[in-house]
């Protein structure tokens, strides 16, 4: 299948791309940064997801994974508006098999920065809207909403022993997810799954049970 993934230069998006490549899928990545992925089945487009007029023409996308995101940098425009545009451009068509939006546990709790929570919260309802519209194609649409994930974006708290101890105190499983774990969830929800749709899947090690957000000042 042809898989389109946004935000593939690092972190969750890169791990998802590699996971699909391991299963011999054709993967197309969109990211404003260069990619380090070297694979015969991988095509990379270096472009900002907000550059609507110059987004590449990509036909017959079977799986769309909206992963590109930011924190405290035009969150509404990048995390929500661009996600909507990408979905309408590549996802709503009769070759689509599934769409997955990478959201956040903070969308469920509101326990993070205001615009970030709002942008991710919008994904929850938009996911349900899209699920209704792709159902006639036999396709699914869900959001995968992680809590803490070990990525470069989170190093400022991961490398702070005091904050890390506080975060682990708030996380019942006493660990954060690896990007590979999130990639496995992404694969399951888009390839294995054929019946769950319009749902917001919270994967956070139980952190949201406590509803406390800890970050560096």
């Amino acid at each position: 299948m042809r898989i389109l993934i946004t935000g593939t230069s690092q972190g969750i998006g890169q791990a998802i791309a590699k996971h699909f490549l391991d299963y011999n899928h054709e993967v197309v990545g969109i990211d404003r940064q260069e990619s380090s992925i070297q694979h015969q089945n991988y095509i990379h487009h270096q472009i900002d997801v907000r550059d609507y007029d110059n987004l590449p023409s990509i036909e017959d996308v079977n799986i769309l994974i909206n992963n590109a995101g930011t924190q405290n940098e035009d969150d509404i425009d990048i995390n929500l508006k661009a996600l909507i545009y990408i979905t309408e451009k590549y996802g709503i068509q009769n070759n689509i098999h599934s769409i997955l939006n990478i959201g956040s546990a903070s969308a469920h709790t509101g326990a993070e920065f205001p615009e970030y929570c709002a942008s991710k919260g919008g994904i929850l309802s938009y996911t349900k809207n899209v699920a209704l519209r792709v159902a006639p194609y036999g396709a699914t649409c869900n959001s995968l909403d992680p809590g803490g994930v070990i990525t470069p974006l989170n190093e400022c708290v991961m490398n702070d022993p005091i904050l890390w101890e506080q975060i682990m105190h708030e996380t019942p499983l006493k660990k954060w997810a690896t990007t590979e774990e999130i990639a496995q969830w992404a694969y399951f929800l888009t390839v294995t799954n054929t019946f769950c749709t319009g749902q917001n899947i919270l994967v956070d090690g139980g952190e949201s049970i406590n509803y406390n957000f800890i970050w560096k000042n």
Side-chain angles (χ1 to χ4, degrees), residues 57-82:
S57 176
I58 305 170
E59 302 297 329
D60 301 331
V61 172
N62 303 122
I63 293 176
L64 170 62
I65 300 178
N66 287 303
N67 167 76
T70 190
Q71 188 181 66
N72 287 339
E73 182 203 344
D74 299 324
D75 295 33
I76 300 293
D77 288 339
I78 296 174
N79 298 348
L80 182 58
K81 289 184 178 179

Side-chain angles (χ1 to χ4, degrees), residues 5 59 73 89 107 109 119 132 157 159-161 185 197 209 213:
I5 307 171
E59 302 297 329
E73 182 203 344
K89 180 177 177 65
T109 65
S119 67
L132 289 172
V157 293
N159 296 333
D160 186 313
W185 272 98
T197 194
I209 297 170
F213 174 61

Side-chain angles (χ1 to χ4, degrees), residues 116-127:
Y116 183 81
C117 289
S119 67
K120 294 298 187 177
I123 292 174
L124 301 186
S125 56
Y126 181 65
T127 294

Side-chain angles (χ1 to χ4, degrees), residues 168-180:
M168 289 299 99
H169 179 74
E170 297 294 330
T171 308
L173 286 182
K174 306 304 179 188
K175 66 176 184 177
W176 272 7
T178 65
T179 55
E180 289 77 17

Side-chain angles (χ1 to χ4, degrees), residues 7-8 16 81 85 95-96 113 133 149 177 206:
T8 53
I16 293 174
K81 289 184 178 179
Y85 189 90
N95 289 301
I96 197 68
F113 308 109
R133 292 192 289 134
V149 182

Side-chain angles (χ1 to χ4, degrees), residues 12-148:
I12 292 173
Q14 185 181 85
I16 293 174
K18 289 181 176 179
H19 193 79
F20 274 88
L21 289 168
D22 286 343
Y23 284 89
N24 298 315
H25 294 283
E26 177 187 352
V27 177
V28 180
I30 295 178
D31 198 296
R32 61 185 176 183
Q33 300 180 42
E34 294 181 356
S35 173
S36 62
I37 298 174
Q38 300 293 326
H39 195 285
Q40 62 182 2
N41 290 337
Y42 181 74
I43 298 172
H44 188 74
H45 296 279
Q46 188 176 352
I47 187 170
D48 194 303
V49 289
R50 294 168 294 179
D51 191 359
Y52 303 145
D53 293 336
N54 294 304
L55 287 170
S57 176
I58 305 170
E59 302 297 329
D60 301 331
V61 172
N62 303 122
I63 293 176
L64 170 62
I65 300 178
N66 287 303
N67 167 76
T70 190
Q71 188 181 66
N72 287 339
E73 182 203 344
D74 299 324
D75 295 33
I76 300 293
D77 288 339
I78 296 174
N79 298 348
L80 182 58
K81 289 184 178 179
L83 179 147
I84 292 173
Y85 189 90
I86 292 286
T87 303
E88 300 298 326
K89 180 177 177 65
Y90 300 112
I92 313 297
Q93 39 87 13
N94 58 13
N95 289 301
I96 197 68
H97 173 78
S98 58
I99 297 172
L100 182 67
N101 300 319
I102 304 300
S104 171
S106 298
H108 297 257
T109 65
E112 201 164 332
F113 308 109
E115 282 199 18
Y116 183 81
C117 289
S119 67
K120 294 298 187 177
I123 292 174
L124 301 186
S125 56
Y126 181 65
T127 294
K128 298 180 185 301
N129 174 274
V130 172
L132 289 172
R133 292 192 289 134
V134 298
Y137 305 127
T140 64
C141 179
N142 295 288
S143 72
L144 176 60
D145 306 332

Side-chain angles (χ1 to χ4, degrees), residues 148-161:
V149 182
I150 300 172
T151 69
L153 182 68
N154 294 323
E155 286 180 350
C156 64
V157 293
M158 289 164 48
N159 296 333
D160 186 313

